[in-house]
Amino acid sequence: MSGQSLLVPGELSPHRSVPGSIRRPEYVGKPAPAPYTGPEVQDSDTIERMRIAGRIAAQAMEEAAKHIAPGVTTDELDRVAHAYMCDHGAYPSTLGYRGFPKSLCASINEVICHGIPDSTVLRDGDIVNLDVTAYINGVHGDNNATYLCGDVDEESRLLVERTRESLNRAIKAVKPGRQINIIGRVIESYAKRFGYGVVRDFTGHGINSSFHSGLIVPHYDSPHHTTEIKTGMTFTIEPMLTLGTHDYDMWDDGWTVVTKDRKRTAQFEHTLVVTENGAEILTLP
C-alpha cells in the first residue's frame, strides 16, 4: 500500500453563501433535523422530484471530480460542487446539517466518511471520496464515489474497483418482498473474498423529504434488520470497505471518521427507488 503520511486537519475557509431564492431544508440553523414521521414508500410525484435532486447531486459530484489532481485542495472541490448546486437551484444538503460546515464531504485515504473540505492538498497516489447531496423541490438526492488522484498503487486501485462492484451487486439484490439485510449479506460476502473489512456503524438510510428518514440499510449481514423491501421505497446503499479493520476513531471535529489501523478505505453510494422488478438508480448524471 502507499506509504503516504497520515492526514491531519487543515484550515477551514469562510462559510459559503447560498442565494436567498433557494429553498433551505428545515434543519438549517438548527442543532438537529426534525424527526421524520412520513412513509418510507413514496408517491410518484416525490419520486420524480427525487430524480431531479439525484441528477443534480450526481452532476455536481462529477463536476467536482474533474478537478481532482495533485496540488488541489479539498476546499476547491467543495467550491466547485457548491457553485454547481446553487447554479441549478439546489441547496447543498450537508451545509448546516447538524452543524456540518461545508457543501460536500471529502474523505481521503484512511478517512471512512464525513471528511470536512479544508486547505488539505491532494497528493499523487491519494484516493478521495466525494459525497454530495442536493436538496431541491423539497427532497434530497445523495451519492458518493471514490476517485484516484494521480498514480495510485495497485492495492488501493483494487479496493476502489471492488467497492464499486460491491455497490453494483447490492443494487441488483434489491427486490420487493426481500428483507433489507439482503443488501449487507451480498456486500459482506463479496468483501470477504478479498479480506476487506466492512464498516458497520455507518450505514445506508432512507431518504426523501428527509435527509435521513430513520430507515437503516446495513452493509454487513445483520439478522436484526428485517424490514421488508417494498415497491416505492427510497433509500441509499453506500458500502464502506477497508483494507484492514472496520473499527474507527473520530477526530476532534466530531465528523471525520478514520480507520483505527489507519489503513485505506473506499466508498460508493447511490440513491435508489424500489421498482416492481428491482431498483432504479436516482443519482445518475
Side-chain angles (χ1 to χ4, degrees):
M1 193 188 80
S2 169
Q4 299 276 40
S5 58
L6 297 179
L7 294 166
V8 295
E11 296 292 324
L12 286 179
S13 65
H15 181 88
R16 301 193 197 282
S17 62
V18 176
S21 58
I22 294 178
R23 177 179 172 185
R24 272 75 168 152
E26 58 80 24
Y27 52 74
V28 174
K30 300 177 182 178
Y36 178 70
T37 57
E40 297 296 346
V41 171
Q42 306 304 310
D43 59 30
S44 59
D45 173 68
T46 301
I47 293 168
E48 183 54 40
R49 286 184 282 129
M50 289 183 67
R51 285 193 183 96
I52 296 169
R55 183 167 61 248
I56 292 173
Q59 290 170 337
M61 184 175 73
E62 195 173 64
E63 195 63 30
K66 291 177 184 176
H67 294 75
I68 291 175
V72 175
T73 65
T74 53
D75 187 66
E76 173 63 10
L77 305 179
D78 182 79
R79 184 196 65 78
V80 172
H82 178 95
Y84 188 96
M85 285 184 273
C86 291
D87 288 347
H88 289 80
Y91 185 91
S93 300
T94 61
L95 185 61
Y97 179 78
R98 297 184 181 272
F100 192 84
K102 292 296 176 179
S103 298
L104 58 70
C105 299
S107 302
I108 304 171
N109 297 343
E110 69 268 20
V111 179
I112 294 171
C113 57
H114 304 159
I116 300 175
D118 58 18
S119 62
T120 298
V121 175
L122 295 177
R123 302 163 297 182
D124 185 58
D126 283 342
I127 59 174
V128 55
N129 178 273
L130 300 183
D131 193 336
V132 180
T133 310
Y135 177 80
I136 189 170
N137 298 325
V139 297
H140 300 268
D142 185 5
N143 68 163
N144 76 54
T146 302
Y147 300 91
L148 310 180
C149 181
D151 185 17
V152 175
D153 67 274
E154 183 68 8
E155 185 179 37
S156 298
R157 293 173 69 92
L158 285 172
L159 173 68
V160 171
E161 178 184 311
R162 290 164 176 167
T163 305
R164 181 191 293 111
E165 175 63 16
S166 76
L167 172 60
N168 293 338
R169 289 175 179 233
I171 291 171
K172 290 176 182 176
V174 174
K175 305 285 184 188
R178 290 181 170 176
Q179 294 180 346
I180 204 116
N181 56 16
I182 186 66
I183 293 167
R185 189 171 305 132
V186 167
I187 291 168
E188 187 170 43
S189 64
Y190 179 71
K192 279 184 174 179
R193 289 168 50 182
F194 310 104
Y196 295 154
V198 181
V199 173
R200 304 169 78 88
D201 289 352
F202 300 90
T203 68
H205 52 89
I207 184 170
N208 37 66
S209 60
S210 173
F211 194 172
H212 300 86
S213 72
L215 175 68
I216 295 173
V217 184
H219 303 118
Y220 61 97
D221 188 359
S222 167
H224 307 295
H225 292 84
T226 58
T227 302
E228 181 184 347
I229 298 173
K230 297 180 179 179
T231 302
M233 289 176 75
T234 49
F235 54 81
T236 71
I237 303 176
E238 44 188 299
M240 292 153 261
L241 305 187
T242 69
L243 288 175
T245 182
H246 66 261
D247 291 330
Y248 65 90
D249 293 319
M250 186 175 288
W251 283 4
D252 291 342
D253 60 24
W255 284 105
T256 307
V257 179
V258 296
T259 54
K260 186 169 281 291
D261 57 13
R262 303 303 190 263
K263 291 186 177 180
R264 288 188 169 189
T265 175
Q267 181 183 18
F268 284 84
E269 173 187 23
H270 275 305
T271 295
L272 312 170
V273 59
V274 180
T275 66
E276 292 182 0
N277 299 314
E280 174 192 346
I281 298 172
L282 298 177
T283 39
L284 291 176

